[in-house]
Structures are given as C-alpha cells and as structure tokens.
Amino acid sequence: LTIVAVVSCSSAVPTETPGVERLGKYLLREKAPEVEFILGYKFAASNLGDEWLLLEVALSAPVGQTATMKRENIFVRTPDGTRIPCATQKEFNEAYGSMRSKITQANVMRDPMDYWPAQREACPVQLFVSPTEGVAFDEVSVNEYRACQGKLFFDVPGGVQPGRWVFGVDFEESDIRIPFVLEME
C-alpha cells in the first residue's frame, strides 16, 4: 500500500474580507463558483487625484464553468459610497488624448497577473481600445481554457481620493466584491 500526499503551496494571504486573498501588495484575488478574478491596483495607488481610475483585471473560470463579464455590470464604490460604473468606449475615446501617457506608464508598472495553469489560452479583456486600434467589446467570456487580462477605466468626478474602495462585477450566478485601499504614500 502506497500513500501519496499532495501538498499545495500558495503565497496568497487571506484578507479581512471572506473569499478575498492578497497575492501581492497591489494584487487581490476572489474565487467565486463561476469565476476566479484578480484585481491589480498598483497604478491607481500611485495616481491619487487623477480624474480617471485605472485598474488591471484578470479572470478565468474553474473547471466546468463559464463566466461572462459585461461592461454594464462592472463598477467601483468610492470611499464615500458613490457607485461609479465602468466607462463606455465613447467616454474613453473622448479622454484618450489626456490619458495616453498614463496608460503607457501603467503598462510599465503593472504587476504580472498570470496565476492560471499554463495551458489556459491568454486573451485580452477588450472592453477598451485606443481610438485607432481595433474594436472594443461590451463583454468578455472565459471558461476553464481561457484566462483574460486587461485594463478597466472609471471616470471619477473630483478625482481619485484615498480611502477604502470596492471593485464589483455582477455575474450571472455570483458577485465579485473586492475591497482595496488607496493611501497617500
């Protein structure tokens, strides 16, 4: 009789929010029945006061599941409780000229977000595209074979303020709610 023990190592640290784990200083993960979601907020943390909140996201689905993230179901809740929906492609286009250099900076300072098995096909979260670079979609679908990454943009009246924010997505069967804190450094 042979007994085999399987040991799993993870650098994820539970947070005070049940179901949300910290993967790094600016990376959080929430696993729901139909989707596994990673939120990166490194750029946002270093750009308080900006009119636009830029967040990095990655998502995939557990084995046997599929999930569709729709733009209309994505939002952030500000420290004062205001709910701000994800921007539209039209709003993004109108602000793109003033955001172009910030997007380039965010591309350089982002944290890696590929926490999926290597065999999953990488795909873009293509809710936003530069005005001359293709087609934006209003949703992205994932399953156990796809892991998508990209940026989300939120137009924040009065600018991004320090405090406790909540990122949210309503999926068909579950809701993602990931609190994150933006602080003056």
Side-chain angles (χ1 to χ4, degrees):
L1 177 68
T2 303
I3 297 175
V4 177
V6 177
V7 178
S8 175
C9 293
S10 173
S11 59
V13 176
T15 65
E16 64 281 350
T17 304
V20 177
E21 302 170 305
R22 181 163 299 284
L23 300 174
K25 184 172 181 181
Y26 301 106
L27 281 180
L28 296 164
R29 173 175 57 197
E30 183 172 357
K31 293 180 182 181
E34 68 186 307
V35 67
E36 184 174 329
F37 206 95
I38 298 174
L39 175 70
Y41 59 100
K42 186 175 192 175
F43 185 79
S46 64
N47 286 275
L48 292 173
D50 281 7
E51 290 293 319
W52 284 85
L53 175 69
L54 185 158
L55 298 173
E56 297 273 351
V57 297
L59 64 153
S60 192
V63 174
Q65 297 293 314
T66 61
T68 299
M69 179 175 71
K70 297 180 179 184
R71 180 191 310 268
E72 66 199 40
N73 296 333
I74 305 168
F75 65 92
V76 291
R77 195 165 305 282
T78 65
D80 71 5
T82 304
R83 182 181 169 123
I84 298 175
C86 188
T88 65
Q89 177 64 36
K90 182 178 187 275
E91 292 167 332
F92 176 78
N93 283 349
E94 291 169 357
Y96 181 75
S98 64
M99 290 193 312
R100 190 174 176 174
S101 66
K102 298 256 181 204
I103 294 168
T104 301
Q105 289 174 338
N107 288 339
V108 172
M109 68 184 297
R110 65 183 295 277
D111 286 319
M113 299 178 78
D114 49 351
Y115 284 83
W116 325 109
Q119 66 271 24
R120 294 203 182 181
E121 175 189 348
C123 56
V125 169
Q126 206 164 337
L127 298 181
F128 298 95
V129 294
S130 302
T132 60
E133 294 185 10
V135 178
F137 298 96
D138 285 328
E139 62 183 43
V140 61
S141 294
V142 294
N143 56 34
E144 65 189 275
Y145 304 108
R146 291 171 45 96
C148 299
Q149 295 184 36
K151 291 176 180 50
L152 298 179
F153 297 88
F154 302 86
D155 185 3
V156 180
V160 177
Q161 300 302 312
R164 184 180 187 269
W165 292 69
V166 177
F167 172 80
V169 183
D170 296 330
F171 286 93
E172 191 171 311
E173 296 179 25
S174 53
D175 297 331
I176 294 293
R177 298 293 186 270
I178 304 176
F180 62 101
V181 177
L182 299 178
E183 302 175 295
M184 302 296 266
E185 292 190 6

